[in-house]
Amino acid sequence: MKSLFDKISYDCSKNVTKSYSTSFSAAVKMLAPAIRQDIYNIYGFVRFADEIVDTFHDYDKEALFEMFQKDLESALDKKISLNPILNSFQHTVHKYSIPNTMIDSFMKSMKLDLQKTEYKSFEEYNEYIYGSADVVGLMCLKVFVNGDVQQFTELEHSAMRLGSAFQKVNFLRDLKADYEDLNRTYFPNTDLSRLDEHSKDAIIKEIEADFEAGYQGILKLPLEAKFGVYTAYVYYKKLLSKLKKTPSMEIKNTRIRVPDYQKFGLLAKCYVNYRLNLL
């Protein structure tokens, strides 16, 4: 039965989310049950595309990515795919009328990771972030507002800024792996081999401005989405705080993380703030 296959597909997207990101998975659990699965479906799709370009070093990444893109196009066209991740993703795309332009922008940025290793201008940098992060925030926003065009338009800018903040924190946290393992540098006009405190502070100020703009949008989100998005926001803010306190030389040589016990404390704090209507 098709319904059974769809359930298996949805379970696959959920398992991908739980396996690859315990932090994001915890945030998704704070969303209303009615929209959780669609966020799992989006995450599963973007995670698989990202895995192709970032981790499958022993395989022909370009061939795998081209095959994935063709399967994606077929899934969106035929509204079914034997790839469970793409089958669940196409369901969400059609359910919420997620435009192909968002998906195309995401795939364009992922494809850049196959060849491009340096972003020398802010124009290139911003275009990459728009495709790799901002549009993912917009896809999720489509789910959060459930087709309300006016609300989507009102929150669009904030969703993009929040997506940018999350991505830039990831860039800073993964500096060592990106630079040493993948030979990539995303921040323009920054020599990561000699990252100093001045350069680090400039990057953090940029991220803090994105977070502030993103937070204003969180306050206006529907109740079904507000707690979950706020939870992700608080987690990434904590991660940024740890990066801010970490010397630039140490950031280059280790991966900063938030311990599990601190994650549980942050979750409890988020819940209290939410229940006391402090958002």
Side-chain angles (χ1 to χ4, degrees), residues 213-266:
Y215 179 71
Q216 298 308 313
I218 293 174
L219 298 176
K220 300 175 183 177
L221 281 172
L223 289 177
E224 292 83 356
K226 184 181 288 186
F227 184 31
V229 179
Y230 177 67
T231 300
Y233 162 84
V234 169
Y235 167 74
Y236 270 90
K237 281 276 286 185
K238 180 64 176 179
L239 191 52
L240 181 64
S241 176
K242 291 177 71 71
L243 288 163
K244 189 174 184 177
K245 296 174 183 176
T246 303
S248 56
M249 288 298 295
E250 189 175 339
I251 288 178
K252 290 191 300 183
N253 295 315
T254 188
R255 188 177 192 267
I256 306 301
R257 61 183 298 273
V258 177
D260 287 343
Y261 76 90
Q262 289 187 358
K263 291 179 183 177
F264 292 133
L266 291 173

Side-chain angles (χ1 to χ4, degrees), residues 119-261:
Y119 291 80
K120 297 181 179 180
S121 72
F122 281 98
E123 182 179 1
E124 289 181 334
Y125 169 66
N126 290 330
E127 183 180 7
Y128 176 84
I129 289 178
Y130 173 77
S132 65
D134 293 4
V135 295
V136 179
L138 294 178
M139 290 182 205
C140 292
L141 182 60
K142 281 283 187 179
V143 176
F144 296 154
V145 302
N146 194 24
D148 188 321
V149 176
Q150 181 178 343
Q151 194 170 27
F152 178 86
T153 301
E154 181 184 3
L155 297 175
E156 183 176 8
H157 177 72
S158 295
M160 290 170 58
R161 294 291 295 274
L162 190 62
S164 290
F166 289 169
Q167 181 70 299
K168 292 170 188 176
V169 169
N170 287 336
F171 287 164
L172 200 56
R173 179 195 60 185
D174 298 334
L175 208 62
K176 183 178 186 293
D178 284 340
Y179 188 66
E180 294 183 1
D181 300 340
L182 300 173
N183 192 33
R184 291 187 201 143
T185 59
Y186 291 105
F187 296 111
N189 303 323
T190 303
D191 184 354
L192 298 185
S193 66
R194 295 194 298 272
L195 181 69
D196 56 24
E197 289 301 309
H198 176 74
S199 299
K200 188 195 84 170
D201 289 345
I203 292 169
I204 287 177
K205 283 185 173 62
E206 178 184 326
I207 298 172
E208 287 175 335
D210 285 333
F211 268 128
E212 177 56 31
Y215 179 71
Q216 298 308 313
I218 293 174
L219 298 176
K220 300 175 183 177
L221 281 172
L223 289 177
E224 292 83 356
K226 184 181 288 186
F227 184 31
V229 179
Y230 177 67
T231 300
Y233 162 84
V234 169
Y235 167 74
Y236 270 90
K237 281 276 286 185
K238 180 64 176 179
L239 191 52
L240 181 64
S241 176
K242 291 177 71 71
L243 288 163
K244 189 174 184 177
K245 296 174 183 176
T246 303
S248 56
M249 288 298 295
E250 189 175 339
I251 288 178
K252 290 191 300 183
N253 295 315
T254 188
R255 188 177 192 267
I256 306 301
R257 61 183 298 273
V258 177
D260 287 343
Y261 76 90

Side-chain angles (χ1 to χ4, degrees), residues 6-38:
D6 286 340
K7 181 183 182 305
I8 293 171
S9 298
Y10 302 152
D11 288 346
C12 185
S13 294
K14 180 178 180 179
N15 287 334
V16 166
T17 308
K18 293 171 64 176
S19 298
Y20 277 99
S21 179
T22 55
S23 301
F24 186 78
S25 180
V28 175
K29 289 179 182 177
M30 302 304 111
L31 299 171
I35 60 175
R36 284 179 204 162
Q37 185 61 59
D38 289 296

